[in-house]
Amino acid sequence: MATNEGSEPEYVDISKINVGQGEGYEKKCIFCKVVNNEMGTEILHVDEEVSCFRDIKPGAPHHYLVVPTRHVGNCKSLSKEHVSLVEKMVEIGMEILQKNNVLDLSDVRFGFHWPPFCSVSHLHLHVLAPASQMGFMSRLFYRPNSYWFVTADQLIQQLNS
C-alpha cells in the first residue's frame, strides 16, 4: 500500500495489479468495478489477492470493506480452500485499522453478511471500529451470532470443519 508521511493514503496504481475485465471480473459487480478503478473510489490497499476501501454507508467511525481483488462469490459459496483468503482479508483489515490509528483492536468487529442478507454477491469483509461506538441499527446489522452476520472467526471455523 502506498502512503505518504501523514495518515492519508494515496491512490494506489492498480494498473500494476492487472485485474482488468478478464478472468475474475464480473462486469455487473459493483465491487469488481471499484477494484478496477471504474468508480473513482479511493483504494486504501490493493494487491494480487485483496483490496480495501471505505464503506459508503459507514456503520462505525472506521468502516472498511476488504474484498478479493478478483471476483469471488459470497461466503456461502466458499470451501476449505478459501480459508487462507479469508485470513488474508482479516490481516489486511487489521493493517488498515492500525494505519488509521485504531489501536484498541479488542473493540473491533470483523464479519460477513450471510446470504441472502448481503447486498453485493462479491465476497466482502466488514471491518468496523470502534464497535462500542456503533449506533443501534449498526449493532443490529452487524450483530455476531445472528442469522444474517457471521464473524470472520466463525466463517473460518465453519470452512475448516
Side-chain angles (χ1 to χ4, degrees):
M1 178 176 134
T3 57
N4 54 22
E5 290 301 311
S7 62
E8 285 297 311
E10 296 175 1
Y11 279 97
V12 177
D13 184 2
I14 67 169
S15 63
K16 294 177 182 171
I17 300 300
N18 193 27
V19 175
Q21 293 187 7
E23 186 179 336
Y25 178 89
E26 296 283 333
K27 65 182 178 182
K28 292 184 179 180
C29 174
I30 188 74
F31 290 165
C32 285
K33 290 179 180 185
V34 167
V35 169
N36 206 41
N37 210 20
E38 295 174 32
M39 305 299 293
T41 303
E42 181 183 18
I43 305 295
L44 304 176
H45 173 93
V46 66
D47 63 36
E48 288 287 337
E49 291 182 276
V50 298
S51 300
C52 179
F53 47 91
R54 289 180 180 85
D55 193 298
I56 61 168
K57 295 180 183 174
H62 295 272
H63 188 169
Y64 308 105
L65 298 177
V66 182
V67 304
T69 300
R70 288 178 174 74
H71 189 87
V72 173
N74 61 46
C75 57
K76 210 170 185 178
S77 71
L78 302 181
S79 65
K80 191 171 188 167
E81 291 76 43
H82 293 99
V83 168
S84 63
L85 173 63
V86 175
E87 290 172 339
K88 170 83 183 245
M89 293 169 75
V90 170
E91 175 188 323
I92 295 303
M94 290 281 213
E95 285 180 18
I96 294 296
L97 287 174
Q98 290 171 334
K99 287 178 180 175
N100 284 278
N101 299 315
V102 176
L103 305 176
D104 182 4
L105 297 179
S106 67
D107 190 19
V108 298
R109 184 146 314 147
F110 289 80
F112 301 87
H113 282 108
W114 194 256
F117 302 101
C118 43
S119 57
V120 179
S121 65
H122 189 130
L123 183 67
H124 55 286
L125 171 69
H126 289 271
V127 177
L128 299 113
S132 60
Q133 292 183 27
M134 291 167 53
F136 174 77
M137 292 305 290
S138 292
R139 286 193 312 268
L140 182 63
F141 290 149
Y142 306 104
R143 190 174 89 193
N145 304 316
S146 62
Y147 291 114
W148 54 89
F149 189 80
V150 296
T151 66
D153 289 340
Q154 287 172 317
L155 180 59
I156 290 168
Q157 183 179 7
Q158 182 174 337
L159 294 173
N160 277 322
S161 63

